[in-house]
Amino acid sequence: MKTLKKIFAILFISIVTISCSNDDDNSGTPTPTPNYFFKAKIDGVQYETDAAFRVLSSSNADRIKITSVLSDNRNFELEIDSPTGIGTYTYPMPSGVDYVLRMEYGDATSATALWRTGACSGTTGTLTITALSATEVSGNFSFTGKRTSFCSDPAKLITEGSFKSGITQ
């Protein structure tokens, strides 16, 4: 009888161990994916990504840098130093403000193709941060950029820009 009790005890422990394994099936509860995106129009042509971009923030939180890169090497970089939070930031910066705003669009399919604010006179830009937390940032933007050393060339008009992304520290 003792042997039979031992066998039942071992069998019971084995069944409990197998049925309580660490392999939980979460098929009924899908993991939510963030609805991050970055889009704009470049001289009227749509640019959009929902995967190949990231948002970087310096470790001391004095800078927000939004970067978007497509597989064809077209890219955007929006950077603001010393932001004060939700609000509208403009280039050229008005006198008396502490922030610095830089906006640029790059196109690797053209030689020296980097259009930015501040490269030449006549460049302008607006960045509006509509939501900002320790983990996410979203907003809208537009700018007129020119190529350094090619200031007489036509500017790129970036319109209808919007983004939402996570922030890495």
Side-chain angles (χ1 to χ4, degrees), residues 26-87:
N26 289 332
S27 60
T29 311
T31 304
T33 55
N35 56 346
Y36 297 154
F37 63 90
F38 190 104
K39 54 187 167 183
K41 287 192 176 177
I42 306 158
D43 290 334
V45 178
Q46 188 66 42
Y47 171 104
E48 186 169 356
T49 181
D50 61 2
F53 81 104
R54 58 190 173 165
V55 175
L56 305 174
S57 175
S58 66
S59 60
N60 61 10
D62 285 342
R63 173 178 294 152
I64 296 173
K65 186 175 188 178
I66 301 123
T67 304
S68 171
V69 180
L70 293 182
S71 59
D72 63 4
N73 289 325
R74 290 182 298 145
N75 61 80
F76 275 93
E77 188 169 285
L78 311 174
E79 185 175 312
I80 184 163
D81 292 343
S82 303
T84 56
I86 293 173

Side-chain angles (χ1 to χ4, degrees), residues 11 22 49 57 62 75 85 99 103 124 137 139 141 154 157 164:
L11 185 59
N22 204 8
T49 181
S57 175
D62 285 342
N75 61 80
Y99 69 85
M103 307 170 91
T124 61
V137 61
F141 67 96
L157 298 173
K164 178 179 180 184

Side-chain angles (χ1 to χ4, degrees), residues 71-131:
S71 59
D72 63 4
N73 289 325
R74 290 182 298 145
N75 61 80
F76 275 93
E77 188 169 285
L78 311 174
E79 185 175 312
I80 184 163
D81 292 343
S82 303
T84 56
I86 293 173
T88 299
Y89 303 88
T90 59
Y91 185 89
M93 283 82 63
S95 62
V97 298
D98 291 331
Y99 69 85
V100 176
L101 177 62
R102 291 175 290 282
M103 307 170 91
E104 64 184 40
Y105 164 71
D107 186 345
T109 62
S110 304
T112 61
L114 189 60
W115 289 267
R116 60 176 59 157
T117 57
C120 307
S121 64
T123 60
T124 61
T126 302
L127 171 66
T128 302
I129 296 175
T130 57

